Amino acid sequence: MDRTCPVKLSVQPSRGLVDEKFIVLVQNTPPGSQLTIHGLHKCEDGHSWEAFAYYTANSTGTVNVSEDPSLGGTYSGVEQMGLLWSLRPVPGSKPDLRLRKVNVQTPMVVTISVYQGHQTEGFMDQVPLASTVVERWYMAPGVRRIPITEGRLTATLFLPSGVGPFPGLLDLWGGEGKLIEYRTALLASHGIASLALDYLTPKITMETGKLVDEQYFETAYRVLEQHPEVLGSRIAMLGLSMGTSMTLKMAAYSKVMKLRCAVCISGTHVQPVDGFLEELLNFCRENAGKTRINEENQVIYRDLLLPIPTDPALKVDVGRLQCPLLLVVGEDDQNWPAYESAMDMKDMMERAGNNHLLTVLSYPNTGHLIEPPYTPHARAAAFQPPTAPQPIVALWGGEAGAHSRAQEDAWRKTLDFLRENLFGRTNAGPASFSRL
């Protein structure tokens, strides 16, 4: 390749939120030249992830990733954000990794480079034609991170930039526990005061050996409700996986929590109504014989709660709900029977006459871990469930391309749902069922 005119590589915007698209543009290459565009990210645990795609420069010597199709690599076709969502551990990495941001006060840094020819490996041993660095943030400028210990909570509050008060949200993750902040910080970046809450492995449980009950969640709600920069009458709850179980339980039965709306991702209403977290985990242990292990030694949990019980004592009575509910479902979820649960909840709410409060987003070829946009898809990953003595490899399900499109669509519609119910009109819209 003629190097008299340097290859130009630009990414705009080079700094932005993780759910913000960027444009990758390669210029000043010979028309028709074969190029590989490569993305490299070193995450906080020291593991490196990469994505790459093959392109052919057009008649002006240009490649525009947002318009031109990839001819192969870790993704194919026109995929503007493929260099993020198709990131995978570099060859030789530890197996069964999952990419998650730990410190939200620092950016996710990705080095994007362009190489001559269509390459598949050995990128670190080659000199790129051009490189640039991209920063993706979960915290927008001005978002404030506030550790919360009030009421013996293990939690972090993220307040949006600007002048409040702001609508509030309780953000719950799933069955591995820990205080996970990246989705919460991103919600605050979109104007919602959001509280990340550890309910499985909080300090109080580590000290006493006892699992929390509903009072723990009601305390978190009160902390939000009474905060001077939160609109106490406009609080939502969002849960993924086991976080859905907690969200539905509190939304249906709590006399303290008056939620404006609820979002439940990849979860189920199946759980003992008489009891709380401890009884739910015991119920899962009792059904552990339904767990399957595939040929790759990956654990499949979805049959644990199937068939969906008919006994009303074993599922949350969603007919009691008085706030709008958004269910986000991956139809290839191998961890929870999310699709079957959504259909049963839909039937229950139709019979109760409150189905006007329900919206279901259901996505084919999509797995359990439906995360913010452009998060790399993990079909399976190491997982430490609270009911297991040691880590296992859980099969989450999903196909990378379809899963990525579902994440992008679901996030946009989730933000729309939250804005409508936390910022907009108070009446719920008509019932709907959307399938991507």
Side-chain angles (χ1 to χ4, degrees), residues 11-26:
V11 181
Q12 295 296 331
S14 60
R15 175 181 293 178
L17 291 175
V18 293
D19 59 355
E20 182 180 1
K21 290 184 177 182
F22 52 62
I23 295 175
V24 180
L25 192 65
V26 182

Side-chain angles (χ1 to χ4, degrees), residues 39-341:
L40 179 69
H41 169 65
K42 186 172 183 178
C43 61
E44 292 147 306
D45 60 11
H47 294 104
S48 293
W49 294 64
E50 70 176 0
F52 56 91
Y54 307 144
Y55 292 92
T56 300
N58 65 15
S59 59
T60 65
T62 300
V63 172
N64 186 334
V65 170
S66 62
E67 299 176 354
D68 299 331
S70 164
L71 306 176
T74 55
Y75 65 92
S76 298
V78 179
E79 294 286 352
Q80 182 170 349
M81 300 303 292
L83 290 170
L84 284 192
W85 67 250
S86 74
L87 283 167
R88 66 185 189 185
V90 299
S93 296
K94 178 181 176 181
D96 307 314
L97 294 173
R98 178 182 174 190
L99 181 58
R100 306 184 85 179
K101 194 76 177 76
V102 177
N103 182 2
V104 297
Q105 295 177 292
T106 63
M108 176 183 178
V109 178
V110 182
T111 301
I112 296 179
S113 305
V114 57
Y115 292 88
Q116 183 175 345
H118 289 170
Q119 312 288 335
T120 60
E121 59 186 0
F123 293 100
M124 300 305 99
D125 300 326
Q126 301 180 50
V127 178
L129 301 173
S131 289
T132 191
V133 172
V134 176
E135 290 185 1
R136 279 1 235 176
W137 291 81
Y138 287 91
M139 283 180 67
V143 170
R144 290 158 286 168
R145 179 185 179 274
I146 305 169
I148 300 292
T149 57
E150 181 181 343
R152 303 197 73 183
L153 297 175
T154 298
T156 306
L157 175 63
F158 290 87
L159 292 174
S161 62
V163 179
F166 309 97
L169 179 142
L170 284 177
D171 190 15
L172 310 179
W173 283 89
E176 198 169 20
K178 303 175 185 176
L179 186 58
I180 301 169
E181 299 180 348
Y182 58 91
R183 182 176 63 195
T184 321
L186 189 57
L187 288 164
S189 298
H190 286 280
I192 302 170
S194 300
L195 184 78
L197 184 67
D198 179 4
Y199 60 93
L200 263 178
T201 56
K203 186 177 180 181
I204 189 172
T205 294
M206 299 298 100
E207 291 175 349
T208 65
K210 294 181 180 179
L211 294 168
V212 302
D213 58 18
E214 61 268 23
Q215 293 180 356
Y216 184 80
F217 294 89
E218 290 173 348
T219 298
Y221 176 85
R222 286 194 181 100
V223 167
L224 264 181
E225 182 185 39
Q226 297 170 7
H227 195 283
E229 294 195 60
V230 175
L231 291 166
S233 63
R234 293 175 178 262
I235 295 177
M237 200 165 176
L238 184 153
L240 180 141
S241 191
M242 191 172 288
T244 282
S245 303
M246 301 299 100
T247 298
L248 290 171
K249 193 70 167 283
M250 300 310 296
Y253 300 113
S254 175
K255 294 184 171 120
V256 171
M257 298 175 67
K258 306 299 181 184
L259 298 176
R260 184 60 69 96
C261 63
V263 178
C264 293
I265 305 170
S266 304
T268 178
H269 60 321
V270 176
Q271 60 180 297
V273 172
D274 184 14
F276 206 71
L277 190 54
E278 184 174 358
E279 287 73 18
L280 170 58
L281 294 178
N282 286 336
F283 180 68
C284 291
R285 290 187 189 100
E286 291 166 5
N287 288 277
K290 295 181 181 179
T291 301
R292 291 182 285 129
I293 299 178
N294 66 12
E295 295 177 352
E296 298 175 74
N297 206 34
Q298 297 164 343
V299 180
I300 303 169
Y301 283 114
R302 73 179 314 274
D303 295 340
L304 208 65
L305 304 179
L306 290 176
I308 301 295
T310 56
D311 184 350
L314 292 178
K315 53 189 181 182
V316 172
D317 182 6
V318 291
R320 296 170 56 101
L321 293 177
Q322 298 180 33
C323 69
L325 171 65
L326 174 65
L327 299 178
V328 181
V329 175
E331 295 179 15
D332 189 39
D333 191 332
Q334 297 298 312
N335 192 254
W336 279 131
Y339 180 80
E340 294 88 343
S341 297

Side-chain angles (χ1 to χ4, degrees), residues 74 85 332 364-368 377-379 396-406:
T74 55
W85 67 250
D332 189 39
N365 302 314
T366 299
H368 183 69
H377 170 247
R379 181 168 174 79
W396 307 116
E399 180 275 317
H403 191 96
S404 176
R405 287 185 285 275

